[in-house]
Amino acid sequence: MSDLDALTSSAYSQALEVIASVEPRIAAATRQELADQRGSLKLIASENYASPAVLLTMGTWFSDKYAEGTVGHRFYAGCQNVDTVETLAAEHARELFGAEYAYAQPHSGIDANLVAFWSILAHRVEGPWLEKAGSKNVNELTDADWESLRKELGNQRLLGMSLDAGGHLTHGFRPNISGKMFHQQQYGTDPETGLLDYDVVRAKAKEFKPLILVAGYSAYPRRVNFAKMREIADEVGATLMVDMAHFAGLVAGKVFTGDEDPVPHAHVVTTTTHKSLRGPRGGMVLATKEYAPSVDRGCPMVLGGPLSHVMAAKAVALAEARQPAFQTYAQAVADNAQSLAEGFKSRGAKLVTDGTDNHIVLLDVSSFGLTGRQAESALLDAGVVTNRNSVPSDPNGAWYTSGVRLGTPALTTRGFGHDEFDNVAELIVQVLQNTEAGTTKAGGPSKASYTLAEGVADKIKDASAEMLDKHPLYPGLELS
Ligand code: DSN
């Protein structure tokens, strides 16, 4: 055991003792969570394993500090150390992504998107309106002025990718706040190929004339040409906002470069920090200089007080992502997704878009006679952790779905390579081939109940354990 491993083991063992002295059930659940994560195949495309350094950074007294405002301009006294943390997180983010400006405060990807929407409205609508109205401060508006500004703000359009094509709830999905605060329209993917059709996006944008064109995805297994999306945005006078929450690690690791790197093309880029970027659970906004002043007011206008302990962990994770080893990791994430996709195709399974060129594989389980819900549950019984996901024009809707979304970031962190991912495809196919859809009490087809043939779960768990033991999670971390 290295000195660092011994220190980490001792730090966690002692921390758990301290926790157990107050609420032993939480200490026990924490230990169990490590055991569960160590013993299962984690294929949720939005999850990863942050380093012990990142995890330990979150457990400090920075959690106790209020720091609304921005660096050097806080609404609370005593923020000098938070300023150091936020400055470093933003500096690492700007350097890593080549961004003009970085805002490290959002608590999640959804929060980052809300900050982005708000800042675009402030910059594009409120600012020009105030100027026209005689450069009045928004606080000085009369009720009549405010009514008129409110109409302008509330009359804006947003065009984003639809949920069932792989977009996110916050990209204009009607039931989401983004679909209510904006007049929205959605673009989908080609019904034959499942691929994004830029001509269709352009035609919709020309007709709809959105203030915001949103690009990015949560469940689209392909790369996006952001240079083309910017061209479209410019043609219609829209702000291009890219949500790179899922693939930020592939951008950081220089797998997505040129037209596939959103940062040089978008006005505003949002992300999470915990998915392929492998940092703490949180969000971030990158922007061009012109949007920086409005993004900077995200807290307290949109966000509650920043989580300084998490911003500190973001700085540590971003420092890790600036190391050459992260580029090797990111390339392996993409290569492994190819291996997983090929593994499915060679076994006759159906994939949305017939493959992948990012970190996501979207398996259409309808050919196994299952809903996504049934497949997800049967896989979990066999120790394979995934999430069900809609496929384009899904006949089973967003709850039961017809797909299972798989991602390679987490198991790649554990060291899985081509052969293991091919084997993962084999194990998943075995589970699905041995799962039968159930019936409802009334005797009709059920979308939820299922039967996994006896003995299959144990067989798959044994086969997984062989791979998992060869690639331990947090090797060297031993809890006493
Ligand atoms: N929860 C994220 C994901 O799994 O992709 C999106 O919000």
Side-chain angles (χ1 to χ4, degrees):
M1 192 190 272
S2 73
D3 287 353
L4 198 59
D5 286 343
L7 271 177
T8 308
S9 299
S10 150
Y12 275 111
S13 299
Q14 292 178 31
L16 286 166
E17 268 182 53
V18 174
I19 296 165
S21 73
V22 180
E23 177 44 289
R25 291 170 297 182
I26 292 296
T30 307
R31 284 175 183 273
Q32 188 58 46
E33 180 61 22
L34 178 61
D36 289 353
Q37 292 206 24
R38 279 180 159 165
S40 55
L41 287 174
K42 188 202 266 209
L43 286 156
I44 292 182
S46 48
E47 293 188 6
N48 210 328
Y49 304 106
S51 72
V54 168
L55 298 179
L56 283 166
T57 307
M58 282 188 276
T60 78
W61 27 91
F62 269 122
S63 172
D64 298 331
K65 190 76 196 91
Y66 248 120
E68 284 176 16
T70 47
V71 174
H73 188 78
R74 307 279 184 191
F75 292 87
Y76 295 80
C79 294
Q80 59 282 0
N81 299 307
V82 178
D83 280 356
T84 302
V85 159
E86 186 167 356
T87 301
L88 285 172
E91 186 181 296
H92 279 307
R94 284 195 311 271
E95 292 291 327
L96 177 64
F97 291 108
E100 288 179 8
Y101 166 78
Y103 186 61
Q105 292 196 23
H107 312 327
S108 70
I110 287 184
D111 288 359
N113 286 349
L114 288 174
V115 169
F117 294 147
W118 178 81
S119 77
I120 295 166
L121 286 175
H123 178 72
R124 293 281 313 273
V125 185
E126 182 183 275
W129 188 94
L130 285 172
E131 213 169 294
K132 235 176 17 198
S135 301
K136 280 186 236 167
N137 180 305
V138 77
N139 294 322
E140 294 161 3
L141 297 182
T142 62
D143 284 351
D145 288 337
W146 176 247
E147 186 57 22
S148 161
L149 172 56
R150 199 190 61 73
K151 274 198 190 118
E152 291 241 4
L153 288 168
N155 198 26
Q156 301 307 323
R157 300 188 177 109
L158 176 142
L159 179 62
M161 192 180 210
S162 67
L163 192 66
D164 73 342
H168 189 253
L169 293 167
T170 52
H171 298 179
F173 184 54
R174 273 243 164 84
N176 183 266
I177 185 166
S178 60
K180 295 194 165 69
M181 70 192 276
F182 293 108
H183 298 289
Q184 53 74 263
Q185 276 195 15
Q186 306 257 270
Y187 55 86
T189 46
D190 183 89
E192 294 292 311
T193 62
L195 298 172
L196 200 51
D197 182 336
Y198 297 93
D199 291 337
V200 171
V201 179
R202 175 176 279 110
K204 276 205 173 239
K206 281 191 163 161
E207 197 191 330
F208 187 51
K209 299 209 176 9
L211 174 79
I212 306 177
L213 174 63
V214 183
Y217 50 81
S218 283
Y220 178 65
R222 295 288 173 178
R223 302 183 186 193
V224 172
N225 183 325
F226 296 110
K228 271 194 191 157
M229 294 303 267
R230 175 61 186 258
E231 259 173 44
I232 296 169
D234 285 347
E235 279 173 38
V236 300
T239 295
L240 177 62
M241 170 181 156
V242 175
D243 178 347
M244 66 167 183
H246 257 264
F247 51 90
L250 300 183
V251 178
K254 313 285 179 239
V255 177
F256 290 4
T257 57
D259 291 353
E260 294 164 355
D261 176 353
V263 180
H265 303 293
H267 300 91
V268 181
V269 177
T270 59
T271 187
T272 53
T273 45
H274 50 274
K275 297 186 174 100
S276 55
L277 196 51
R278 210 165 58 180
R281 188 157 292 281
M284 211 160 59
V285 180
L286 309 175
T288 56
K289 280 208 178 89
E290 50 178 340
Y291 285 86
S294 56
V295 172
D296 229 11
R297 301 205 309 276
C299 169
M301 293 303 152
V302 182
L303 298 172
L307 310 177
S308 304
H309 55 308
V310 181
M311 284 201 292
K314 287 174 189 169
V316 173
L318 291 163
E320 288 177 347
R322 291 181 67 191
Q323 301 300 314
F326 195 84
Q327 296 187 13
T328 310
Y329 163 70
Q331 188 58 54
V333 166
D335 293 345
N336 285 336
Q338 294 284 337
S339 306
L340 183 63
E342 288 308 318
F344 281 124
K345 284 168 67 176
S346 67
R347 291 169 178 89
K350 189 173 157 203
L351 303 180
V352 173
T353 78
D354 200 34
T356 177
D357 52 27
N358 55 26
H359 62 295
I360 295 172
V361 171
L362 189 51
L363 181 61
D364 185 335
V365 294
S366 55
S367 56
F368 293 94
L370 300 171
T371 62
R373 167 103 185 245
Q374 290 161 330
E376 176 196 83
S377 303
L379 287 166
L380 186 63
D381 292 346
V384 184
V385 188
T386 65
N387 70 281
R388 63 188 184 281
N389 207 101
S390 309
V391 301
S393 309
D394 201 313
N396 288 319
W399 180 249
Y400 292 108
T401 81
S402 303
V404 170
R405 186 185 65 165
L406 307 159
T408 51
L411 290 179
T412 302
T413 295
R414 281 183 82 145
F416 276 49
H418 168 81
D419 292 351
E420 284 93 353
F421 273 101
D422 181 63
N423 198 24
V424 166
E426 167 65 25
L427 300 183
I428 289 176
V429 168
Q430 280 188 30
V431 172
L432 300 180
Q433 282 174 340
N434 285 285
T435 303
E436 223 174 276
T439 47
T440 60
K441 278 188 192 139
S446 165
K447 291 186 177 185
S449 67
Y450 64 96
T451 314
L452 177 58
E454 213 175 307
V456 174
D458 286 341
K459 196 176 117 200
I460 300 300
K461 279 183 187 165
D462 288 347
S464 302
E466 253 183 61
M467 293 190 285
L468 292 166
D469 290 349
K470 274 196 213 134
H471 300 286
L473 173 60
Y474 301 124
L477 170 59
E478 286 170 22
L479 298 181
S480 57

